Amino acid sequence: MFISNMSNVTIPSPPIDRLDTEGIETIHEASMTILENLGIQVSHERALELLGEHGAIIEDELVKVDRDLIEDAIEQAPSSFTLHGRDQEKDVTVGGDGHILRAPGYGPPNIVTVTDGRRSSTMEDYENLVKLAHQESAINCTGYNVCEPNDVDQEVKHIEMVSRSLRLSDQPLMASTYGEDRASACLDLVGIAVDDPELSQPYVAGLINTVPPRSLDTRMVGGLLTYAESGQPTIISSFTMAGASGPATLAGSLAQANAENLLGITIAQLSNPGAPVVYGVPSSNIDMRYGSLSIGSPESMLFVSFAGQMGRYYDIPSRGGGGLSDSKTVDYQAGVESGFVQAVTAFADIDFVLHAAGILESYSAISPEKFLLDCEAIDFLDRFATGYSLDEDDLAMDVIAEVEPAGHYLSQPHTLEHAENAFLLPELADKRSHSDWADDGSLTAFEVASEAVGKRLAAYEQPAMDQDIETALEAATEEAIHRIRA
Amino acid sequence: MFISNMSNVTIPSPPIDRLDTEGIETIHEASMTILENLGIQVSHERALELLGEHGAIIEDELVKVDRDLIEDAIEQAPSSFTLHGRDQEKDVTVGGDGHILRAPGYGPPNIVTVTDGRRSSTMEDYENLVKLAHQESAINCTGYNVCEPNDVDQEVKHIEMVSRSLRLSDQPLMASTYGEDRASACLDLVGIAVDDPELSQPYVAGLINTVPPRSLDTRMVGGLLTYAESGQPTIISSFTMAGASGPATLAGSLAQANAENLLGITIAQLSNPGAPVVYGVPSSNIDMRYGSLSIGSPESMLFVSFAGQMGRYYDIPSRGGGGLSDSKTVDYQAGVESGFVQAVTAFADIDFVLHAAGILESYSAISPEKFLLDCEAIDFLDRFATGYSLDEDDLAMDVIAEVEPAGHYLSQPHTLEHAENAFLLPELADKRSHSDWADDGSLTAFEVASEAVGKRLAAYEQPAMDQDIETALEAATEEAIHRIRA
């Protein structure tokens, strides 16, 4: 009888790369031309000083940077870093093999549920989404601005959100990058919650969006400098909409997005060499018929593949993709679009996935139901990633010898032993017969997930926090709010 | 200014392989052990004779085959072949780079539509599905038994279906393999329709399912021999359900499925060396809680990757995957499960995709709406496959120079020139704003597709057929039916 001497020979799938080396270099060279000859608009004073000190040419806030400066910055940026949770067991490594950070949707001003339909999102929705993110194994960073809390004073909402995130979860998180003041206020709260006021290691990531074409927002650059100087990672992301804020071709938009990202990375490295950064291309196209953003598109998938490939080319962790859809409700379109972008995200070797779950309507809405469904979909991809185990027991040659031709394995001890762990047993995807499904109310996945959301929120347990820290965090939160309102 | 000298440097993505060479060889060796030592049940007389003549040991219908015979057969099987349409422009190459044959669902006895819900499928449904398959660019083979026509005499339904498929479409097709008589009767009709009674080249593919574990059905083997001897391709497929008709482990089920496939391929090559065959692994797992088949599962995705990889290892075209879901309706679950399996099918370098569109409920139902939605999803994957074009016009460096920082490209001539062709413009996926979608009735993708099905069927035009051929086909159809009933 054949004997296997292997345990698990599954190899990591090669990434879905769509460019050869010449193609990568073509884009890189085009970006260098943009940086060296066309320039990028920067109006943040300290950033302009830093750039000027290092030889950049600055004309009317248009910064032209030599490729040497860019290449030095790429060299200085770390290839991986660890984002630490309030609970050390929740630490997540970003970059390197086999690690993926996944954070919820970011920024949607609307919420879509079975019971309410679509409405403006509130702080209660924010809290609920953080509770879901804390519980789902697919999500390992609670993110920030998971939905816009529209019922809260806009001037203090960043404080309100971060303070709640810190109490409701012990995972790593994200926080405001909108100007030095908001960024600093958030970082102070994080320092208190993790009992490390100096932020001696990365705990909180900041999303830095460029303003395509060829511009960096002053407040965002302020946030970038604050995070970088504190050693906290920034996700530098050119959210280019090809056909609107970028050329109506992928190549042109790739080159432009890449140039913007590289300038952001350079500013981070000039302010604090070695500061952790993530190379982000959350770009997509617009639908040329309506002028509307299209994130659940094949072009969106191509941008994700590009992000993974360029991140590896520059040896900087990459960001892209997620559970993205343009659908207005949790239907087939939501499933297939999110599934495609999610699959490419997994297969393109992306390191940091923002919007990993819940997004509908081209980022304009988030659905708690879709959040859970997207998380289960991530479980499918993670199971696919583990591949096959080929040891003796898995090959089961003696069991195969035992079963009659055209017989069945149902009553084999081997089958019973493997019943629980052999295959993924999804909670939301319905695997029953049609009649059992019909007897149970013929629910769609959206409806099934609605029940699951209720159960998750009822079962949620707030993670422990030291009483002194909790008191200090509450006081600091109140003080920060008071300071803003004063 | 940087000048590109490239046109299109997108490379084909490497296939999503999950086994290294040692892993492949481990499975191959395990299969050889099954074939050499355990044996596979065959009761078809002529097949037993062929096998016996070539040195197989036959004990009580249990056939044990030496690896040399198997390896000779693998060697003889062609690495690609062309399946010809009644219209030469519809020819499809199976195997080799960049070609994918995609056929509709196969065998579902139920139909699911927005208007009727779920009901038993009829010949009218069959005709409608063939008409949709004929029109959709994603589908290039109209298949067979696209749904079970339950309102037709079961003894003659193969004649009724094939005759209709030949008239309603001029694409390549599939036909019955259930015994020599049905197979021959179908091949005769095809010969008349393509005006090549001797079937001098491949026109019609036959699906040959093994009976796992370790058994080949007598009628199926009859069909296999009939197709192989006529030079018509067979898709030899071990539809193993891991946990029921295979061990409750992937490795054991892979080894068993591979062994069954290799014996089927060997029988085809013994009967007609060089006969075109396809290596098929449409296997999946059962859900161990319900004993139900689960085709929209991560394990199903792993079987697809395995099929692609083993096909390349044996240098035989592979079959696997499709738009597979266990959902009972056209919802998020249907979208994400089909999307995942469809994506892996595209990324695993599968050559022949049966069930490419429409499947619900673990093969028990097909939905015309989902058929169109799955076809549009395939368009997404095909667009992703084309990658980026990096020529001068695509890089658009002079357009980038033209647009002010933080400006927009909407009014650029370059944008207007590219408006129609820059990005995929889907018909069914809704890319409009929420308000436009809501004003239009807040339709789900299932409902949108329902309208599209109606439009497609209204717009359908039957392809031309020579009058003499049509008359001959009608006469032959009537005669074949008469012969069966006599």
Side-chain angles (χ1 to χ4, degrees):
Chain A
M1 181 59 68
F2 169 72
I3 305 289
S4 168
N5 57 358
M6 323 206 68
S7 55
N8 190 326
V9 290
T10 292
I11 51 169
S13 295
I16 299 203
D17 288 343
R18 312 310 326 272
L19 290 170
D20 59 11
T21 308
E22 211 182 343
I24 291 175
E25 283 165 5
T26 299
I27 298 291
H28 177 78
E29 282 302 314
S31 301
M32 289 299 146
T33 298
I34 294 172
L35 286 161
E36 292 183 324
N37 301 353
L38 300 183
I40 292 182
Q41 186 181 54
V42 180
S43 52
H44 189 283
E45 269 188 42
R46 194 147 43 90
L48 287 173
E49 275 171 34
L50 275 170
L51 289 160
E53 283 166 16
H54 289 83
I57 297 166
I58 299 158
E59 291 166 357
D60 299 332
E61 294 188 352
L62 212 56
V63 177
K64 296 179 185 176
V65 189
D66 194 81
R67 66 174 61 207
D68 293 346
L69 194 59
I70 302 286
E71 282 163 9
D72 285 350
I74 292 168
E75 199 59 42
Q76 283 165 342
S79 57
S80 74
F81 60 86
T82 298
L83 198 61
H84 297 269
R86 179 155 73 76
D87 175 355
Q88 286 183 11
E89 299 202 352
K90 308 282 173 72
D91 291 0
V92 185
T93 299
V94 178
D97 289 342
H99 310 289
I100 305 175
L101 181 145
R102 292 186 181 116
Y106 188 109
N110 298 292
I111 195 139
V112 172
T113 68
V114 167
T115 45
D116 292 4
R118 181 192 195 247
R119 58 172 172 73
S120 181
S121 47
T122 65
M123 186 55 91
E124 190 186 347
D125 296 320
Y126 182 87
E127 289 180 356
N128 287 341
L129 285 163
V130 171
K131 289 176 184 176
L132 295 180
H134 178 68
Q135 287 171 288
E136 289 299 296
S137 60
I139 303 295
N140 50 17
C141 170
T142 49
Y144 171 69
N145 210 11
V146 183
C147 64
E148 280 282 346
N150 292 302
D151 55 345
V152 172
D153 178 358
Q154 296 299 297
E155 286 303 304
V156 301
K157 68 178 180 181
H158 57 291
I159 301 291
E160 299 271 19
M161 281 192 277
V162 168
S163 184
R164 278 173 174 77
S165 294
L166 288 167
R167 275 178 286 134
L168 294 174
S169 177
D170 48 14
Q171 291 181 347
L173 76 164
M174 299 174 69
S176 176
T177 50
Y178 196 60
E180 284 91 338
D181 290 352
R182 291 191 184 183
S184 296
C186 290
L187 297 192
D188 288 348
L189 293 181
V190 173
I192 292 167
V194 299
D195 201 18
D196 179 5
E198 300 302 314
L199 299 176
S200 62
Q201 54 186 13
Y203 297 100
V204 52
L207 176 65
I208 306 296
N209 281 320
T210 67
V211 181
R214 296 192 291 122
S215 183
L216 301 185
D217 175 75
T218 304
R219 282 193 169 253
M220 278 283 166
V221 173
L224 169 61
L225 292 172
T226 305
Y227 275 69
E229 284 159 6
S230 305
Q232 303 305 301
T234 45
I235 300 108
I236 298 170
S237 297
S238 172
F239 172 30
T240 300
M241 294 187 266
S245 58
T249 49
L250 292 181
S253 287
L254 297 176
Q256 180 184 293
N258 188 45
E260 294 167 7
N261 276 354
L262 293 178
L263 185 62
I265 289 167
T266 300
I267 293 172
Q269 299 307 317
L270 289 179
S271 77
N272 181 11
V277 289
V278 174
Y279 176 93
V281 187
S283 302
S284 190
N285 60 297
I286 61 164
D287 189 298
M288 301 297 272
R289 295 166 297 188
Y290 317 116
S292 58
L293 176 61
S294 185
I295 62 175
S297 66
E299 292 81 11
S300 176
M301 294 154 70
L302 284 164
F303 277 109
V304 173
S305 167
F306 176 77
Q309 195 166 8
M310 294 310 279
R312 266 175 280 121
Y313 177 65
Y314 294 131
D315 197 18
I316 296 173
S318 59
R319 175 225 159 172
L324 307 185
S325 178
D326 305 304
S327 183
K328 269 53 85 178
T329 186
V330 184
D331 63 352
Y332 175 100
Q333 182 186 346
V336 78
E337 290 183 344
S338 297
F340 278 168
V341 182
Q342 201 82 273
V344 171
T345 304
F347 301 155
D349 194 17
I350 294 290
D351 302 299
F352 194 112
V353 188
L354 193 58
H355 305 293
I359 290 294
L360 283 174
E361 214 185 287
S362 322
Y363 299 126
S364 294
I366 189 164
S367 162
E369 289 89 339
K370 181 165 181 285
F371 189 92
L372 294 191
L373 290 164
D374 286 348
C375 285
E376 185 167 281
I378 290 169
D379 292 342
F380 276 43
L381 292 168
D382 283 350
R383 172 68 192 92
F384 178 77
T386 65
Y388 328 98
S389 169
L390 302 189
D391 68 14
E392 208 56 38
D393 179 61
D394 286 300
L395 277 165
M397 296 300 284
D398 46 355
V399 191
I400 293 174
E402 201 66 36
V403 176
E404 291 286 295
H408 67 80
Y409 289 77
L410 294 169
S411 53
Q412 289 291 316
H414 181 267
T415 305
L416 303 174
E417 282 158 25
H418 285 266
E420 271 183 50
N421 301 316
F423 313 121
L424 185 79
L425 301 175
E427 175 194 354
L428 305 174
D430 195 295
K431 301 293 178 180
R432 298 172 299 171
S433 67
H434 182 274
S435 59
D436 283 350
W437 173 79
D439 289 348
D440 219 11
S442 301
L443 301 182
T444 65
F446 192 15
E447 293 164 323
V448 170
S450 179
E451 291 183 10
V453 168
K455 281 187 202 163
R456 288 284 197 296
L457 294 178
Y460 168 79
E461 287 180 28
Q462 189 164 325
M465 181 178 261
D466 182 279
Q467 186 57 55
D468 291 348
I469 291 177
E470 193 167 357
T471 307
L473 182 61
E474 271 173 35
T477 301
E478 276 175 38
E479 200 189 306
I481 292 171
H482 181 76
R483 206 159 43 222
I484 292 165
R485 289 196 171 136
Chain B
M1 182 60 68
F2 169 72
I3 305 288
S4 168
N5 58 0
M6 323 207 68
S7 55
N8 190 328
V9 291
T10 290
I11 51 169
S13 294
I16 298 206
D17 289 342
R18 310 312 324 273
L19 290 171
D20 59 11
T21 308
E22 210 183 344
I24 291 175
E25 283 166 4
T26 299
I27 299 291
H28 177 77
E29 282 301 315
S31 301
M32 288 299 146
T33 299
I34 293 172
L35 286 161
E36 293 185 324
N37 300 354
L38 299 185
I40 291 182
Q41 185 181 55
V42 180
S43 51
H44 189 283
E45 269 188 42
R46 193 147 44 88
L48 286 173
E49 275 170 36
L50 275 170
L51 288 161
E53 283 166 16
H54 289 83
I57 298 167
I58 299 159
E59 291 166 357
D60 300 331
E61 295 188 350
L62 212 56
V63 177
K64 294 179 185 175
V65 190
D66 193 80
R67 66 174 61 207
D68 293 347
L69 194 60
I70 301 286
E71 282 164 8
D72 285 351
I74 292 168
E75 198 61 41
Q76 283 164 343
S79 57
S80 74
F81 61 88
T82 298
L83 198 61
H84 296 268
R86 180 155 74 75
D87 175 355
Q88 286 181 11
E89 299 201 354
K90 308 281 173 74
D91 291 359
V92 185
T93 298
V94 178
D97 288 342
H99 310 289
I100 305 176
L101 181 144
R102 292 186 181 118
Y106 189 109
N110 298 292
I111 196 137
V112 172
T113 68
V114 167
T115 45
D116 291 5
R118 180 192 196 248
R119 58 172 172 72
S120 181
S121 48
T122 66
M123 187 55 92
E124 190 185 348
D125 297 320
Y126 182 87
E127 289 181 355
N128 286 342
L129 286 164
V130 171
K131 289 175 183 176
L132 295 179
H134 177 69
Q135 287 170 289
E136 288 299 296
S137 61
I139 303 293
N140 51 16
C141 170
T142 49
Y144 171 69
N145 209 12
V146 183
C147 64
E148 281 283 346
N150 291 302
D151 55 346
V152 172
D153 178 358
Q154 295 300 296
E155 286 303 304
V156 301
K157 68 178 180 183
H158 58 291
I159 301 291
E160 300 272 20
M161 281 192 278
V162 168
S163 183
R164 278 172 173 78
S165 294
L166 288 166
R167 275 178 288 134
L168 295 174
S169 177
D170 48 13
Q171 292 181 348
L173 75 164
M174 299 173 69
S176 177
T177 48
Y178 196 59
E180 284 91 339
D181 290 353
R182 291 192 184 182
S184 296
C186 290
L187 297 192
D188 287 348
L189 294 180
V190 173
I192 292 166
V194 299
D195 202 18
D196 179 5
E198 300 301 315
L199 299 176
S200 64
Q201 53 186 14
Y203 297 99
V204 51
L207 175 63
I208 306 295
N209 281 320
T210 67
V211 181
R214 295 192 292 124
S215 182
L216 299 184
D217 175 75
T218 304
R219 281 193 169 252
M220 277 283 164
V221 173
L224 169 62
L225 292 171
T226 304
Y227 275 68
E229 283 158 6
S230 305
Q232 302 306 301
T234 44
I235 300 108
I236 298 170
S237 297
S238 173
F239 172 29
T240 301
M241 294 187 265
S245 59
T249 50
L250 292 181
S253 289
L254 298 175
Q256 181 185 292
N258 188 45
E260 293 167 7
N261 276 355
L262 292 178
L263 185 62
I265 289 168
T266 300
I267 293 172
Q269 299 307 317
L270 289 179
S271 78
N272 182 9
V277 289
V278 175
Y279 176 93
V281 187
S283 303
S284 190
N285 60 297
I286 61 165
D287 188 298
M288 302 296 272
R289 294 166 297 188
Y290 317 117
S292 58
L293 176 61
S294 184
I295 63 175
S297 66
E299 291 80 12
S300 176
M301 294 154 70
L302 284 164
F303 277 109
V304 173
S305 167
F306 176 77
Q309 195 166 9
M310 293 310 279
R312 265 175 282 121
Y313 176 65
Y314 295 131
D315 197 19
I316 297 174
S318 59
R319 174 225 160 174
L324 308 185
S325 178
D326 305 303
S327 184
K328 269 54 84 176
T329 186
V330 183
D331 62 352
Y332 175 100
Q333 182 186 345
V336 78
E337 289 183 345
S338 297
F340 277 169
V341 183
Q342 201 82 273
V344 171
T345 304
F347 301 155
D349 193 19
I350 294 291
D351 301 299
F352 193 114
V353 188
L354 192 59
H355 305 292
I359 291 293
L360 283 174
E361 215 184 286
S362 323
Y363 298 127
S364 294
I366 189 164
S367 161
E369 289 89 338
K370 182 166 182 284
F371 189 91
L372 294 191
L373 290 164
D374 286 348
C375 285
E376 185 167 282
I378 290 169
D379 293 342
F380 276 43
L381 291 169
D382 284 348
R383 172 66 192 94
F384 178 77
T386 65
Y388 328 97
S389 169
L390 302 189
D391 69 14
E392 207 58 36
D393 180 61
D394 286 301
L395 276 165
M397 296 300 285
D398 47 353
V399 191
I400 293 174
E402 201 66 36
V403 175
E404 290 286 294
H408 67 79
Y409 289 78
L410 294 169
S411 53
Q412 288 291 316
H414 181 267
T415 305
L416 302 173
E417 282 158 25
H418 285 267
E420 272 182 50
N421 300 317
F423 314 120
L424 185 79
L425 302 175
E427 174 194 356
L428 305 174
D430 194 295
K431 300 294 178 179
R432 298 173 299 173
S433 67
H434 181 274
S435 59
D436 284 351
W437 172 78
D439 288 349
D440 219 11
S442 301
L443 302 181
T444 65
F446 191 16
E447 293 165 325
V448 170
S450 179
E451 291 183 9
V453 168
K455 281 187 202 162
R456 289 283 197 296
L457 294 178
Y460 168 79
E461 288 180 27
Q462 189 163 326
M465 181 179 260
D466 182 279
Q467 186 58 56
D468 291 348
I469 292 177
E470 193 165 358
T471 309
L473 183 61
E474 272 173 33
T477 302
E478 277 176 35
E479 200 188 306
I481 292 172
H482 182 75
R483 206 158 43 221
I484 292 166
R485 290 196 171 134

